[in-house]
Each structure stands twice: as C-alpha cells, then as structure tokens.
Amino acid sequence: MQSRRSSPRVRTFDRFHHAGLCVAAAALALALPSCTKKKKSPDANNPMASSVDQPTLNLFGFEESYIHRINFNVQQRGRLILVHYDPAKPHDIAIVDCPVSTKYEYMPSEAKGVETLRIRSMGELDAHIPMGIMRFGGYLKAGSELEFNYATVGSYQVTDDPVVPAAEGPCARATHYVAALSVGAFSFVEHRGGEGGASAQVGAVGPKVAVHAERERGATRSWGDLAACDREDPKGCRTPTQMLLLPIPDGAVAATESGEPARPADPPPTTDAPVDGHVITLRIDENDWRPGHHMGLALQKTLSFAQYFEEATTFGFDDRTISVLGGFLDDEGLSISRPLVGGRQYAVFATASADVDIDLAILDGAGNPVALDNEDDAQPLVSFTPPQDGVYSLLVAPGKKGTQVFAAVGVMVEEGGYRVAPELLQRVYQGLLDAGGLASRKVAEGGAGAGLHFHAGQREWSLMGTFMEPGSSISISDVHLQGPSVVLSTAHDAACDLDLEVRDRNGHVWADRENDSAPLVVVDTQNAGAPVDMELTYKRGDQPTLGATLILAVE
C-alpha cells in the first residue's frame, strides 16, 4: 500500500445535464408484478449443463460494469437476473429491467486448475464467446489469435422456486433467467502476427502455455486473480465466468375468472440478502439525529459494495486521492473533479438513502460521458479505463426531479488499491455517526441552533474520505462554509491519533491537535461563503485507515 501523497482540490459543476446522458446500460432494477413459478435446473449434478434453449454462456466478452452488477446482485442482494435471449442471435443478449428477489446458494466445485480456450477465427469466437464479437473481433481481423485462461471455484445456484414477473410491461421482454452463475477468474492474451499457433494444457493454477512460431504477445487483461483460485479462501477468485440460462415457460400471465389477464399485484418490499448471510450494519436512531439516519442508510449500502469488491474481486479503494464521498442530493446533483491514471481500470458505485433512482457518470475534460449508469435504480455502478492520464469528473444526480436523498460514492481501482475489510469502514462510519449525533445534541442543548445538518455550500460534498498511511496528511481546499459549522473525523481504532485543522484566507485557524482518534473542530466563521482549507493528519496508528472528514452546518 502506498503512502498518501495527494492534496485533492474539490469543486462542483453547475448542473447535471440529463440530456447528455443517453448511453444505454444493462439494468438490474427492482419490481414485482403478478407472478408464476419457474422450474429448477434440469440437471442438479451438472448445474452448467447446456442446450440450445438452456445455454451456458461465457462472460468473457461482457463489459466489466455488467459483470460487477450481476455478481453484486447475486452475492449481496439475492436478486434473480432476468434476460432476453434469442438462440439465433446469441450476441444480442440483454439484461431485462425487471429483477426479483430470490435465493442463490453458493456451491464450491472441485478444483480443475486453469483451463485454456484459444480462438483463431470469427467463427470460433461466435461459437464460444458470442458476446465477445464486438470486444474481441478486431483482434482476429488484424490477424491475431486470442487466448483465454480461466479457473472456476464454484457457482451460485437458484435453490428455491423463484417467483418471476408476469409478462407485462418491461418484464415482457424476459425470455430466460440466470439459474446458475459460475465464478472464478479469467485472463485474456492477444498473440499477434506470424504463423503457427499456441499450445496449452490444463494444470495447477498458473496456466502452462507454450506459444510457438513467431507470435508476439499483445494486449492482455485479467478479471479476478487466477493465482488466488487454489487458495483455501479464494478471495479475488469470485468473478462470474459463465451463466446458465433457463427459459421462462409460456403462460406466465395469470388469468382471472373472467378470462382477462390479471392486473399486477402491488410489489412486495425487497431487501438485500447476502448469500452468506453476513450483514454489516450501522446503528443510528432516526429520532436521535434525523440527518445521520439518512446518511447511515446510504453508507450501509456502501458496506455491501465494499464487501463484494473485497471478497470477489481484485479491486481496492483508490490509493491516490479521495475514494469515498457523501452528500445531500437534490435536483442540482453533486460532482467532483479528480485525476484518473491512464490504463488503470476504475469501478465507481453510488448509493442512496432511499430506494429512488439516482444516476452516475464519469465525464471527460470536455464534459462528455465516458461511462454512465442512468438506469432506474438506487445503486448505480460504472467502470472505465482511461486511455491516458487526465482529469475527469464524477457526477451523481437524482433520476427524477424533486428527489432529495443522501448519496454516497465509492471509487475502486483494480490492483494496487487499498483492500480493506468492510468492518474497518463500518467502524469509521459508525464513529462519524456517533460523533455527529452527539455534536448535534450539544448544539441544540446549548441554544446555538436547532442542531446540525449536512454542509451543502455551492453544492459541495459533506463527506470526503481518503485512505491514509500512518504519518501522512491529506488536504481539501476551497470548501465554502455557509456559516458556523462543525468539522469532525474519526479513525477505525481508538488507539489512533488524528489531528484536524481548518484555515480561512484571513489567517484564522481552528484546530484539534489533541491525542485522540476523533478530532472535532467548531468553526465559528462569520464570513459565509468564503473558502476555507482543511488538513487531516494521521499521526499515529498501526495500519492504514480511512481518513473521512464530515462537514456539518448549524441549523
């Protein structure tokens, strides 16, 4: 893990322009109309057995954010994945915007080592990886050969009889559902030019591949960690590699006694249900501190994302600058300008305190969206690999006008980031909620105001977090406080020592340099709207921590 070395500068954009956000993305939204039941997998001994109408599809060609969304919804949320699939057009598969709660059970499989699939023609690509035509076809047309190395450690299988929507509205497009999802890791290697081919064998983890003739190794890409697949606890080896589709039977619309199609019933509430049953929670009483209650609801959902990325992928929190954000979201939206490193894959997720639609985008320097999730869901996720170093903007906004929620954002990078247990984040978040609630009560009891609410000066974030090594500092500049405010921070362990300092441009300094893990500064500025700078120093600790700063305004 690298030490902190950046001093991020935070700014906001004038507006989140929905008109420019028109890129299509696969959806995993939530609703449940009238229903019928599905059949289980026809072969319990071989959950990935394939046929024309019950295909097993390689996911090597799927866009990364779709893979994360499928995996996250199966592992952490217990959501049935419905798709539109035509055997005559397998490359046109689409995830349908009509998810349903169900139960997936994880079944470990016997270790088979790393297997290799080689593709030398468009026909072979269409036969083995139809969803990869657009992504990998260009390599074959240029004369290259493709090599995929993969390992499977288990699968998530639907073990009950899932209740699925009737064929009405968006659900009418669904033809199949994901009955089993194999997980593991896989890599892609391009072999350029020359004649001859490549030979390979199945063996222990770590592919034994001998490339002969005069082929040059070209593009490479990994999903998950192949080296982790033979470990007793294969963290990093839980990336989806294949999915088995079962058809939705005909006659899904229930009929009334009159013979007319039944109207959809009101959808029952859906709740996240991790496959392993391990839920990490935050405690905050709505009656004790209402703003904190909404913040806790959004941060609770980020813990599920953190748990998924830590257990199932090789992603970690961004190790270069701010990686956790939170703030009050209204029609204007929130954004932050930040550097991204060329050639490094990023995954960005957002959550909302209520089950409402929020949108997430990454914009380039010209304001064009390079990654977008504008589907109707409360937990959007995008992935993006910048072609070169540059400054990009992360934007989040409600999908519908009139929405007011607390939103949280996490920024992950593949390999090299901070891989931390979600329990560490839980301790930091809980410390912020406890300290904020206590400070709000003290403000009210002292008659200084009605309490504390979230800072939102010039549509700015109220929560900003960066992972820090002991002995490092981070700074945030140009924060526009709108009046008397409270700024606080916490570490994951009471034995840590954090110092917090706030400075304005007139030389005023407010600081907490006591030997404690939860510094708090009361900023009694009377110069509303004037910029201030903040600095957090991690003076003592035994491991990296999330240096999270929460800015609250006096009501």
Side-chain angles (χ1 to χ4, degrees):
M1 295 184 181
Q2 302 178 11
S3 60
R4 298 283 355 109
R5 52 185 180 273
S6 62
S7 298
R9 182 180 182 86
V10 178
R11 66 182 179 89
T12 58
F13 273 58
D14 292 337
R15 198 168 193 82
F16 189 88
H17 295 283
H18 291 276
L21 304 182
C22 56
V23 181
L28 299 177
L30 311 173
L32 186 62
S34 60
C35 50
T36 183
K37 288 191 174 183
K38 287 299 173 183
K39 298 177 182 178
K40 294 183 181 179
S41 170
D43 187 349
N45 295 321
N46 182 10
M48 304 307 290
S50 184
S51 66
V52 173
D53 201 35
Q54 299 176 358
T56 297
L57 301 178
N58 287 319
L59 295 175
F60 303 160
F62 246 36
E63 203 278 329
E64 284 85 352
S65 63
Y66 297 173
I67 291 177
H68 287 313
R69 289 165 70 98
I70 291 172
N71 209 12
F72 176 71
N73 275 272
V74 168
Q75 291 193 35
Q76 292 295 324
R77 306 185 74 189
R79 303 293 165 85
L80 187 69
I81 309 301
L82 299 177
V83 303
H84 175 80
Y85 174 77
D86 182 352
K89 301 177 180 178
H91 54 281
D92 288 339
I93 187 171
I95 299 173
V96 175
D97 183 9
C98 185
V100 178
S101 292
T102 191
K103 180 181 180 182
Y104 283 92
E105 182 177 346
Y106 179 70
M107 306 287 188
S109 63
E110 295 184 5
K112 295 182 180 180
V114 172
E115 300 179 71
T116 298
L117 172 66
R118 290 185 301 278
I119 304 293
R120 298 181 176 86
S121 68
M122 292 294 289
E124 290 181 353
L125 182 63
D126 189 43
H128 294 287
I129 312 175
M131 292 178 291
I133 292 291
M134 295 297 294
R135 183 162 195 165
F136 301 118
Y139 295 109
L140 295 171
K141 293 177 180 178
S144 296
E145 293 183 359
L146 308 180
E147 174 189 310
F148 296 90
N149 300 298
Y150 60 97
T152 301
V153 295
S155 64
Y156 291 91
Q157 303 174 26
V158 175
T159 57
D160 57 2
D161 289 326
V163 180
V164 302
E168 180 166 315
C171 305
R173 292 197 65 230
T175 60
H176 294 70
Y177 71 98
V178 177
L181 184 72
S182 290
V183 293
F186 60 95
S187 65
F188 151 72
V189 180
E190 174 199 12
H191 296 294
R192 297 172 177 164
E195 297 295 334
S199 63
Q201 67 184 71
V202 175
V205 169
K208 300 176 180 178
V209 179
V211 180
H212 50 86
E214 296 182 358
R215 289 199 170 270
E216 174 189 356
R217 188 182 180 95
T220 63
R221 181 77 178 83
S222 296
W223 291 261
D225 183 2
L226 279 170
C229 294
D230 64 344
R231 298 171 187 161
E232 184 175 346
D233 182 12
K235 287 186 178 181
C237 186
R238 291 287 181 89
T239 295
T241 57
Q242 294 178 321
M243 61 183 180
L244 170 67
L245 304 183
L246 292 187
I248 296 175
D250 294 332
V253 179
T256 63
E257 292 182 1
S258 66
E260 296 296 324
R263 299 304 303 163
D266 291 336
T270 53
T271 56
D272 290 355
V275 172
D276 61 6
H278 179 45
V279 180
I280 305 170
T281 60
L282 295 170
R283 306 178 310 277
I284 184 68
D285 186 349
E286 182 175 7
N287 296 322
D288 183 43
W289 185 35
R290 184 174 177 81
H293 171 72
H294 292 284
M295 174 178 160
L297 291 175
L299 292 179
Q300 173 77 55
K301 297 173 184 177
T302 70
L303 294 177
S304 295
F305 270 112
Q307 185 174 4
Y308 158 68
F309 278 107
E310 197 267 336
E311 293 180 354
T313 77
T314 56
F315 282 75
F317 283 92
D318 192 358
D319 57 339
R320 291 176 178 265
T321 184
I322 291 175
S323 56
V324 173
L325 294 157
F328 178 75
L329 192 64
D330 59 16
D331 290 343
E332 298 297 332
L334 293 168
S335 65
I336 183 172
S337 178
R338 49 161 294 144
L340 299 182
V341 178
R344 203 176 196 196
Q345 188 187 2
Y346 293 82
V348 183
F349 62 84
T351 65
S353 55
D355 191 16
V356 298
D357 177 30
I358 59 173
D359 296 337
L360 177 66
I362 302 176
L363 304 186
D364 62 18
N368 301 310
V370 294
L372 169 70
D373 183 341
N374 63 351
E375 298 297 334
D376 187 2
D377 64 343
Q379 300 187 46
L381 184 150
V382 297
S383 65
F384 175 59
T385 302
Q388 57 190 17
D389 293 0
V391 176
Y392 293 79
S393 299
L394 309 182
L395 298 94
V396 60
K400 298 177 178 65
K401 287 191 174 296
T403 300
Q404 294 185 338
V405 293
F406 188 93
V409 174
V411 183
M412 316 294 293
V413 294
E414 187 177 27
E415 302 179 352
Y418 282 95
R419 295 181 57 80
V420 298
E423 288 81 4
L424 183 147
L425 298 178
Q426 187 270 344
R427 292 194 293 272
V428 173
Y429 294 160
Q430 190 65 60
L432 293 174
L433 293 169
D434 292 344
L438 177 60
S440 184
R441 290 195 300 273
K442 294 294 186 182
V443 166
E445 292 169 359
L452 296 174
H453 62 90
F454 299 119
H455 162 75
Q458 298 190 14
R459 300 189 302 280
E460 294 171 348
W461 301 89
S462 55
L463 171 64
M464 290 168 279
T466 305
F467 278 87
M468 306 175 65
E469 299 280 356
S472 65
S473 298
I474 58 171
S475 62
I476 302 171
S477 60
D478 289 346
V479 178
H480 299 83
L481 301 180
Q482 299 304 297
S485 303
V486 172
V487 184
L488 57 91
S489 184
T490 60
H492 68 280
D493 190 330
C496 298
D497 181 17
L498 296 177
D499 286 355
L500 179 62
E501 184 176 289
V502 180
R503 302 180 299 272
D504 68 12
R505 306 300 166 81
N506 295 320
H508 297 108
V509 177
W510 301 267
D512 181 344
R513 300 189 181 92
E514 297 295 325
N515 185 6
D516 65 342
S517 62
L520 183 149
V521 173
V522 177
V523 183
D524 56 351
T525 179
Q526 302 301 315
N527 193 6
V532 300
D533 302 323
M534 302 178 183
E535 184 172 48
L536 182 67
T537 302
Y538 186 14
K539 297 192 68 174
R540 186 184 67 253
D542 60 354
Q543 68 180 89
T545 193
L546 175 64
T549 301
L550 179 61
I551 309 170
L552 302 169
V554 176
E555 292 189 73

